């Protein structure tokens, strides 16, 4: 028995849990409401929730006793109400719940009467106390298709009163047409994928759920099981996230992309299509193609301290991506190449904001660094306003213990939402 809760663009200005309602970005509730129900914001969330998340939830519902409550406001524009109702008509496990009051946290308290009503029909009054699992899902996140199957492991009476945190997931930035810069995201006690084992007492008809508080401190409220063996959530990053509204549009995109740069690189080929059936196409579409120097059948290029490869690339806006795989017979010894970015209009730029350094010989550059024998180097740089690019240069550096060979991806500039 599983229950999910999503607050779907819920107008709740009194809620302490929404960044949009407490960040000081909006001077009035009307400003907040205008933002919350803007067509751009709602369409992006509709695309993700109904187009990507609900299909994964539907796969779960076909194999488990599961219902998902979607809290929405009467103020939600009619077109988007109809999208929600249409999805619920197609997927009976999806239950729209109009809610026009403040939400006290995750939303589980608001739907408790509905859960109790559902469970009352499943058990006799003299049945034992039943473990029931529930989770919250934001409208711009996606869970793995086998999420409930993995969660089932922990649905037992012994785990009542505990939280389950699936701490390993995937993340990428949502560009205009695809998911770019795919990364692995280890985030223990993340809100994404966190679930709770609660109790239903048939004799009293009562469902009891402990309020978990902030997800990062959940283990101070209840015992928490951490399971990070597999990718169980997908966080879709974008320039319209509610947690970054006190920045300009360009700053929001830059901040989101900068966070990705610190995470391990992942290729779509290394991701299970069965776990992510609604996203795998967007992941593949978001990858750059092989460079002509590394076309199928071509021998890997040897990278030496004398290597200099130049790539023309002209653009005046967007996300610069440069990527190559490397392999050697021995572990590398740190920096083995420099990637120079020929940016125009960047003389007064603080290069550190782009993760670059300024070198009298190489110009604006970033090092390719590893102590492994094989891996993937991916640089993603959002061009600041007023800056353009004319090319990229890959320069080998430092002799390594064994020969280093590389396969190049085509350098490119990807369009992202920054307005």
């Amino acid at each position: 028995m599983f229950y999910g809760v999503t607050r779907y663009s819920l107008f709740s200005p009194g809620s302490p849990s929404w960044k949009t309602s407490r960040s000081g970005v909006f001077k009035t509730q009307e400003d907040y409401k205008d933002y919350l129900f803007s067509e751009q914001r709602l369409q992006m969330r509709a695309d993700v929730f109904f187009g990507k998340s609900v299909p994964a939830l539907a796969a779960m519902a076909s194999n488990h006793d599961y219902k998902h409550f979607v809290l929405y406001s009467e103020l939600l524009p009619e077109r988007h109400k109809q999208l929600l109702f249409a999805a619920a008509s197609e997927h009976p496990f999806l239950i729209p719940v109009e809610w026009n009051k403040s939400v006290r946290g995750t939303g589980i308290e608001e739907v408790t009467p509905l859960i109790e009503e559902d469970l009352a029909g499943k058990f006799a009054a003299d049945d034992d106390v039943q473990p029931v699992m529930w989770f919250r899902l934001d409208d711009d996140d996606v869970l793995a298709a086998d999420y409930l199957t993995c969660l089932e492991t922990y649905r037992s009476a012994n785990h009542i009163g505990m939280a389950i945190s699936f701490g390993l997931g995937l993340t990428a930035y949502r560009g205009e047409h695809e998911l770019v810069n795919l990364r692995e995201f280890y985030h223990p006690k993340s809100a994404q994928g966190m679930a709770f084992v609660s109790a239903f007492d048939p004799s009293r008809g009562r469902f009891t759920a402990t309020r978990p508080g902030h997800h990062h401190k959940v283990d101070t409220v209840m015992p928490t099981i951490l399971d990070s063996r597999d990718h169980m959530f997908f966080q879709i990053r974008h320039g319209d996230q509610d947690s970054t509204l006190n920045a300009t549009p360009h700053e929001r995109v830059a901040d989101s992309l900068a966070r990705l740069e610190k995470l391990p690189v992942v290729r779509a080929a290394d991701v299970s299509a069965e776990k992510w059936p609604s996203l795998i196409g967007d992941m593949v579409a978001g990858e750059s193609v092989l460079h002509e120097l590394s076309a199928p059948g071509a021998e890997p290029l040897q990278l030496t301290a004398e290597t200099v490869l130049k790539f023309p690339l002209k653009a005046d806006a967007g996300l610069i991506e440069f990527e190559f795989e490397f392999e050697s017979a021995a572990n590398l010894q740190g920096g083995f190449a420099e990637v120079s970015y020929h940016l125009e209009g960047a003389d007064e730029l603080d290069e550190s904001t782009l993760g670059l350094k300024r070198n009298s010989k190489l110009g604006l550059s970033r090092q390719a660094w590893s102590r492994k024998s094989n891996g993937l180097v991916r640089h993603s740089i959002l061009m600041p306003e007023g800056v353009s690019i004319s090319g990229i240069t890959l320069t080998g550096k430092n002799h390594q213990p064994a020969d280093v060979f590389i396969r190049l991806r085509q350098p490119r500039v990807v369009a992202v939402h920054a307005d």
Side-chain angles (χ1 to χ4, degrees), residues 194-259:
M194 182 175 287
F196 307 90
V197 190
S198 296
F200 176 67
D201 184 351
S203 67
R204 300 167 57 229
R206 293 291 302 277
F207 169 76
T208 305
T210 302
R211 188 183 297 185
H214 194 280
H215 58 91
H216 282 149
K217 296 184 178 180
V218 66
D219 54 328
T220 67
V221 177
M222 61 185 73
T224 300
I225 297 171
L226 179 61
D227 185 345
S228 304
R229 293 173 293 174
D230 203 355
H231 302 137
M232 296 306 298
F233 65 85
F234 199 112
Q235 184 184 54
I236 297 177
R237 299 172 189 250
H238 50 88
D240 199 27
Q241 285 173 299
D242 296 327
S243 59
T244 58
L245 290 179
N246 53 353
T248 67
H250 190 276
E251 288 171 342
R252 293 202 298 268
V253 176
D255 177 72
S256 185
L257 290 166
R259 293 171 187 267

Side-chain angles (χ1 to χ4, degrees), residues 1-2 130-133 151-159 197:
M1 291 161 288
F2 303 91
Q130 300 294 317
V132 178
M133 305 197 80
L151 203 55
E152 180 75 54
T153 305
Y154 303 106
R155 194 181 68 82
S156 71
N158 291 336
H159 292 133
V197 190

Side-chain angles (χ1 to χ4, degrees), residues 3-38:
Y3 297 93
V5 183
T6 292
R7 301 171 302 187
Y8 190 72
S9 295
L10 194 64
F11 182 64
S12 183
S15 170
S17 60
W18 262 57
K19 177 73 173 178
T20 49
S21 63
R22 64 182 173 87
S23 65
V25 175
F26 306 106
K27 295 180 180 179
T28 68
Q29 285 190 16
E30 283 300 312
D31 290 342
Y32 165 43
K33 185 175 68 174
D34 289 345
Y35 160 75
L36 191 69
F37 297 137
S38 67

Side-chain angles (χ1 to χ4, degrees), residues 149-172:
T149 298
C150 295
L151 203 55
E152 180 75 54
T153 305
Y154 303 106
R155 194 181 68 82
S156 71
N158 291 336
H159 292 133
I160 289 175
M162 295 187 181
I164 316 299
S165 170
F166 290 113
L168 188 65
L170 296 167
T171 185

Side-chain angles (χ1 to χ4, degrees), residues 10-269:
L10 194 64
F11 182 64
S12 183
S15 170
S17 60
W18 262 57
K19 177 73 173 178
T20 49
S21 63
R22 64 182 173 87
S23 65
V25 175
F26 306 106
K27 295 180 180 179
T28 68
Q29 285 190 16
E30 283 300 312
D31 290 342
Y32 165 43
K33 185 175 68 174
D34 289 345
Y35 160 75
L36 191 69
F37 297 137
S38 67
E39 181 59 26
Q40 177 178 316
R41 180 185 180 280
L42 287 176
Q43 188 57 55
M44 191 284 297
R45 280 162 172 76
D47 291 345
V48 173
F49 187 65
F50 299 121
K52 308 301 178 182
S53 188
V54 169
L57 300 180
M60 301 179 204
S62 66
N63 298 309
H64 298 277
D65 185 352
Y66 162 57
K67 287 183 171 62
H68 196 99
F69 301 102
V70 183
L71 298 174
Y72 72 97
S73 168
E74 66 176 347
L75 298 175
L76 184 68
E78 188 62 28
R79 187 176 82 83
H80 290 277
K81 284 183 186 177
Q82 293 307 316
L83 289 174
L84 173 57
F85 299 155
S89 178
E90 181 180 356
H91 303 289
F93 74 91
L94 209 61
I95 303 174
V97 179
E98 184 177 311
W99 192 264
N100 299 310
K101 302 176 184 178
S102 293
V103 175
R104 286 164 284 187
T106 60
I108 192 65
E109 294 179 53
E110 286 69 21
V111 299
T112 288
L114 298 175
I115 293 176
E116 290 176 339
E117 180 182 354
D118 186 57
L119 291 171
K122 300 179 186 295
F123 302 100
D126 57 353
D127 283 339
D128 293 334
V129 172
Q130 300 294 317
V132 178
M133 305 197 80
W134 65 273
F135 61 92
R136 189 196 90 191
L137 177 66
D138 285 348
D139 56 13
D140 53 358
D141 293 324
V142 181
L143 296 175
D146 61 346
Y147 173 76
L148 292 188
T149 298
C150 295
L151 203 55
E152 180 75 54
T153 305
Y154 303 106
R155 194 181 68 82
S156 71
N158 291 336
H159 292 133
I160 289 175
M162 295 187 181
I164 316 299
S165 170
F166 290 113
L168 188 65
L170 296 167
T171 185
Y173 188 84
R174 185 176 187 266
E176 292 189 349
H177 306 292
E178 64 280 295
L179 292 170
V180 300
N181 206 1
L182 181 64
R183 305 276 175 150
E184 186 173 72
F185 189 22
Y186 175 61
H187 188 189
K189 297 185 290 182
S190 164
Q192 293 88 7
M194 182 175 287
F196 307 90
V197 190
S198 296
F200 176 67
D201 184 351
S203 67
R204 300 167 57 229
R206 293 291 302 277
F207 169 76
T208 305
T210 302
R211 188 183 297 185
H214 194 280
H215 58 91
H216 282 149
K217 296 184 178 180
V218 66
D219 54 328
T220 67
V221 177
M222 61 185 73
T224 300
I225 297 171
L226 179 61
D227 185 345
S228 304
R229 293 173 293 174
D230 203 355
H231 302 137
M232 296 306 298
F233 65 85
F234 199 112
Q235 184 184 54
I236 297 177
R237 299 172 189 250
H238 50 88
D240 199 27
Q241 285 173 299
D242 296 327
S243 59
T244 58
L245 290 179
N246 53 353
T248 67
H250 190 276
E251 288 171 342
R252 293 202 298 268
V253 176
D255 177 72
S256 185
L257 290 166
R259 293 171 187 267
L260 286 174
E261 283 297 289
K262 302 175 183 179
L263 303 177
V265 175
V266 177
R267 294 293 308 280

